[in-house]
Amino acid sequence: MKPDLRSRPADDEVAEVVAYHEGDMEAAIGTLLEDIRHLRWQLTLAEGAMGRGMARGWRPSYDRD
């Protein structure tokens, strides 16, 4: 069975985030949490704007399955 590479960020992506925050792990995590909140809000707005027929009853999931 192949590992699911989508479930784990690549090591270089993690290094980029930490380097951007000059090694401050708490700042890196804080920024990522802010991004999550922002994206959830964008998903809420998109859900409200989209018609039921457009997605044939599909509704977005806010949590991972």
Side-chain angles (χ1 to χ4, degrees):
M1 174 180 250
K2 292 181 182 179
D4 185 6
L5 299 177
R6 293 172 292 160
S7 66
R8 285 185 30 211
D11 291 337
D12 56 338
E13 288 178 307
V14 173
E16 276 184 47
V17 171
V18 174
Y20 179 83
H21 291 87
E22 299 175 352
D24 186 348
M25 296 295 282
E26 286 186 27
I29 292 169
T31 297
L32 294 173
L33 290 172
E34 287 175 18
D35 288 347
I36 290 169
R37 281 190 288 277
H38 172 74
L39 292 172
R40 283 178 178 246
W41 177 243
Q42 294 296 305
L43 190 57
T44 300
L45 293 175
E47 180 183 13
M50 117 183 139
R52 294 252 185 236
M54 178 178 167
R56 298 182 183 194
W58 176 84
R59 301 196 55 101
S61 173
Y62 295 88
D63 296 310
R64 291 183 186 179
D65 295 331

